Amino acid sequence: MSGKARADRFGEVVMPHLADALSLARWLTGNADDAEDVVQEACLKAHAGIATYAGGNARAWLLAIVRNASYSWLARNRPRSIVAVGNLADLDEVAAPRETDADSPEAALIAKADTAAVETAIARLPQAFREVLVLRDINGLSYREISAMLDVPLGTVMSRLSRARGLLMSELGDKR
């Protein structure tokens, strides 16, 4: 594959999904600066392997590369005792609606407190549950795509997601 063809294919396959790649990397590393390093590394790997991309879901392909790059980066740069957590800035779509003229400052404060509670609850999830929850509910990947990405059976994905959601509901229910 020529350099121009590789660049064109990279632009078509990878570039539209960079925001999702950065979002996943932020959730896995717990830090925006580290996530940028991971995504840069993942893009280099994706560019090197773009000729082997066989089609299908480009987003899932890129997120799998980002996931692997995140764990490689974390193994090289962080001691195992540090727990990575995400940032709910990535959840704007599912957060409470922004304040309108009809909303009061009290409603905005309650929404902010709810967002903080969800962030804390997600951060407390075990890594395997948090990863499946983020891939499914935030990044919108299908069960099959997550199964292939994590190299676990489909039933395991469904079980982990169910357990993650149950733990979140339990944690958030206890706070109210």
Side-chain angles (χ1 to χ4, degrees):
M1 185 176 261
S2 74
K4 173 143 177 49
R6 180 177 290 204
D8 290 344
R9 186 147 193 213
F10 182 85
E12 292 170 10
V13 173
V14 174
M15 296 304 287
H17 307 293
L18 280 181
D20 292 332
L22 187 58
S23 174
L24 177 61
R26 272 195 308 258
W27 275 103
L28 295 176
T29 64
N31 180 299
D33 293 330
D34 295 344
E36 289 174 1
D37 292 343
V38 166
V39 170
Q40 182 176 8
E41 184 177 317
C43 283
L44 290 172
K45 290 178 181 181
H47 189 270
I50 197 72
T52 63
Y53 172 67
N57 187 335
R59 187 167 169 259
W61 179 76
L62 178 61
L63 292 181
I65 294 171
V66 169
R67 176 186 177 267
N68 293 335
S70 294
Y71 288 128
S72 295
W73 189 92
L74 287 168
R76 282 191 316 270
N77 295 293
R78 296 230 184 120
R80 291 193 182 268
S81 62
I82 294 178
V83 177
V85 296
N87 182 339
L88 274 192
D90 302 328
L91 291 176
D92 288 338
E93 306 85 64
V94 295
R98 300 282 182 226
E99 185 176 346
T100 64
D101 293 350
D103 290 335
S104 67
E106 180 181 332
L109 186 59
I110 290 169
K112 187 174 183 179
D114 287 347
T115 300
V118 171
E119 180 176 352
T120 300
I122 291 173
R124 289 186 180 153
L125 289 174
Q127 181 271 333
F129 297 151
R130 184 175 61 244
E131 181 176 52
V132 172
L133 182 86
V134 168
L135 290 170
R136 176 67 185 151
D137 291 344
I138 296 173
N139 287 310
L141 295 181
S142 72
Y143 294 116
R144 288 195 199 306
E145 291 167 335
I146 296 168
S147 173
M149 180 185 297
L150 303 182
D151 195 27
V152 297
L154 191 61
T156 301
V157 171
M158 291 190 279
S159 173
R160 286 180 184 174
L161 183 60
S162 175
R163 184 85 189 271
R165 289 173 176 165
L167 289 170
L168 277 178
M169 287 189 293
S170 176
E171 172 98 8
L172 294 172
D174 291 345
K175 302 280 185 213
R176 293 177 189 236

